[in-house]
Amino acid sequence: MKSLLTLSASAVALAVAASCAHAAGETVCLITKTDTNPFFVKMKEGASAKAEELGMSLKAFAGKVDGDHETQVQAIETCILDGAKGILLTASDTGSIVPAVQQARDAGILVIALDTPLSPTDAADATFATDNYLAGLLIGQWAKATLGDAAADAKIATLDLNVSQPTVDVLRNQGFLDGFGIDLNDPNVIGDESDSRLVGSDVTDGNEEGGRRAMENLLAKDPTINVVHTINEPAAAGAYEALKAIGRENDVLIVSVDGGCPGVQNVEEGVIGATSQQYPLLMASLGVEAVKKWADEGVKPENTPGKDFFDTGVALITDQPVDGLESISVARGLELCWG
């Protein structure tokens, strides 16, 4: 990690999206994985509106692609030089980003992880997130109950995020497997389970093209796959296209996480069986409020009781509810969706 005294020019002139929500007041930085995923677009919208409301200046940065760790490090360095009061971060590499985060905290900047906990979680001052393990658990339980007795002979593929296995990826994957009744080995690692129902996993970079490619790779390994867990709804849409190309779109159960409007519409249309909805606008707006309180009062946010983060909520969306599992309808999901 280069020191702040030897920052390269590229760290100052970042090739990232940057915007100001207000011309005066304390600065808060928002650093997301990309600026194209609707989830992060909604985060920026929530942060921008709340910063303007509170008289703060928002600077927004994003990686060029999901997994662009270096650009996020450069963004943190820029925020330190700018004297920001707080950084809201969705990290691409949750472990490698920690030294840069520590530099920011040493400079008196409040760092809040949004959606994706750091490794370790307490490397950030706070985390505002969906309970991603619960999000995975809900869709796993739903898939198992929907299949009934056939769950015992399922052929399962998991379409995950990237090879660095960020915490959000691991939590959703392991939650899903737990919900489906798969015995976990190390709950911090994807792909080390021994259940014969697991065909394998592949990475998608959280986008449709990656979802299609990963699904094709796994179908080449076992064309009888009939249950697919995806890290998010764009990856699910790509998986569906790969299945459709071989005429299997109607006999494979796809479950996912996000709750964006296109994803909820895909639940309505039968592309996805069920999804767990999260609330990125709320994460970001609450994050800005926390930075403002830190700037004004020196008070850090508190966790949800019993958890090591502040829980911003999750809801299972499906029009095929199962007994004993709370869910909301697609119609309600469309009222609450984003993107």
Side-chain angles (χ1 to χ4, degrees):
M1 184 66 62
K2 58 182 177 290
S3 74
L4 293 178
L5 296 176
T6 58
L7 291 176
S8 66
S10 64
V12 179
L14 294 170
V16 296
S19 64
C20 290
H22 198 275
E26 299 94 348
T27 296
V28 56
C29 291
L30 174 68
I31 305 172
T32 55
K33 296 175 186 177
T34 71
D35 58 5
T36 54
N37 187 312
F39 185 84
F40 301 125
V41 171
K42 184 56 66 172
M43 269 191 180
K44 183 177 177 182
E45 179 183 319
S48 180
K50 184 57 67 172
E52 184 172 3
E53 176 189 328
L54 297 178
M56 302 184 76
S57 180
L58 176 73
K59 293 189 176 181
F61 306 87
K64 301 176 185 70
V65 295
D66 205 319
D68 182 5
H69 166 70
E70 289 303 322
T71 296
Q72 291 195 319
V73 171
Q74 292 170 3
I76 291 173
E77 293 169 344
T78 298
C79 294
I80 295 171
L81 290 174
D82 285 349
K85 293 295 184 181
I87 294 173
L88 310 178
L89 170 67
T90 61
S92 288
D93 190 321
T94 52
S96 297
I97 201 75
V98 168
V101 168
Q102 189 59 52
Q103 280 189 305
R105 295 179 69 185
D106 289 345
I109 298 173
L110 183 75
V111 180
I112 298 176
L114 297 184
D115 179 57
T116 304
L118 300 188
S119 300
T121 301
D122 62 5
D125 290 293
T127 301
F128 288 8
T130 305
D131 186 332
N132 282 293
Y133 194 92
L134 177 60
L137 187 76
L138 290 172
I139 54 174
Q141 290 173 332
W142 179 86
K144 180 181 180 181
T146 298
L147 288 176
D149 292 341
D153 299 312
K155 294 293 184 179
I156 303 168
T158 69
L159 274 56
D160 303 299
L161 189 54
N162 59 50
V163 294
S164 69
Q165 298 193 11
T167 50
V168 65
D169 197 10
V170 175
L171 289 166
R172 293 180 187 181
N173 174 287
Q174 298 289 279
F176 164 76
L177 296 180
D178 187 8
F180 199 86
I182 304 293
D183 289 335
L184 304 180
N185 189 12
D186 183 342
N188 299 307
V189 176
I190 291 173
D192 66 347
E193 295 80 20
S194 59
D195 195 301
S196 62
R197 291 174 291 179
L198 295 173
V199 172
S201 64
D202 204 344
V203 297
T204 67
D205 290 326
N207 60 52
E208 186 168 343
E209 179 182 353
R212 183 185 300 110
R213 181 183 62 249
M215 190 73 255
E216 290 170 348
N217 291 342
L218 290 167
L219 285 168
K221 184 176 181 180
D222 187 338
T224 68
I225 290 167
N226 64 354
V227 178
V228 178
H229 156 72
T230 68
I231 179 65
N232 63 12
E233 292 153 359
Y240 178 83
E241 290 303 316
L243 290 163
K244 187 176 180 180
I246 61 170
R248 294 206 54 221
E249 71 273 20
N250 295 321
D251 55 64
V252 177
L253 190 63
I254 301 176
V255 292
S256 194
V257 177
D258 258 355
C261 294
V264 179
Q265 288 165 358
N266 276 344
V267 177
E268 184 176 44
E269 294 168 6
V271 172
I272 301 172
T275 194
S276 288
Q277 187 172 60
Q278 49 185 345
Y279 304 102
L281 188 149
L282 180 62
M283 289 179 203
S285 60
L286 288 173
V288 173
E289 286 182 352
V291 172
K292 179 64 173 173
K293 189 168 185 178
W294 167 252
D296 290 350
E297 305 174 27
V299 176
K300 294 183 179 182
E302 296 182 358
N303 294 331
T304 298
K307 299 186 177 183
D308 61 357
F309 63 98
F310 183 89
D311 190 348
T312 55
V314 64
L316 177 67
I317 297 176
T318 184
D319 275 343
Q320 303 173 55
V322 298
D323 290 341
L325 190 59
E326 185 175 350
S327 62
I328 63 175
S329 68
V330 168
R332 180 58 177 157
L334 287 171
E335 292 175 358
L336 299 172
C337 69
W338 38 268

